[in-house]
Amino acid sequence: MSKNDICEKVMGILKQILDYNNGLIPTTYTEEFGERLSSIEFVTFIVEIESKFEIEIDDDDFELNNMDTVEKIANLVTRYLSEEASQ
């Protein structure tokens, strides 16, 4: 799976959770996501990421700083997918 594919899936999950109808999603959580994404929505987002990509995110990575952009999330997912592939 390419990084673009991962980014598109992450964006789809964000659109679903945040109920975006205009198709536009900010690339960071810092401003709009920080105001719109509640702690419950953030946990839901993580659960959806784990489910969609069939990974389990370690507690050490479960921080907003590690997931404040779609690119960082894609990098994190890529890392987990490659770790699973190497096992």
Side-chain angles (χ1 to χ4, degrees):
M1 180 177 303
S2 74
K3 188 171 177 181
N4 277 345
D5 292 338
I6 293 170
C7 285
E8 286 183 30
K9 286 185 178 190
V10 168
M11 297 280 274
I13 293 168
L14 286 169
K15 285 179 183 178
Q16 177 185 354
I17 290 172
L18 295 176
D19 195 26
Y20 271 81
N21 295 319
N22 63 8
L24 300 174
I25 241 181
T27 57
T28 67
Y29 294 121
T30 51
E31 292 175 42
E32 188 166 349
F33 285 162
E35 294 171 11
R36 293 206 51 201
L37 197 63
S38 71
S39 57
I40 292 172
E41 290 169 328
F42 181 70
V43 171
T44 301
F45 173 65
I46 297 303
V47 169
E48 289 295 320
I49 291 289
E50 290 178 329
S51 175
K52 178 75 82 178
F53 295 102
E54 298 179 356
I55 60 174
E56 187 175 326
I57 298 174
D58 292 334
D59 291 344
D60 293 342
D61 292 323
F62 196 82
E63 293 183 23
L64 190 56
N65 292 347
N66 293 333
M67 301 178 199
D68 60 355
T69 67
V70 171
E71 185 172 357
K72 283 184 181 180
I73 296 164
N75 290 337
L76 185 67
V77 169
T78 301
R79 187 182 89 214
Y80 278 95
L81 291 174
S82 48
E83 285 175 4
E84 284 190 14
S86 67
Q87 292 179 353

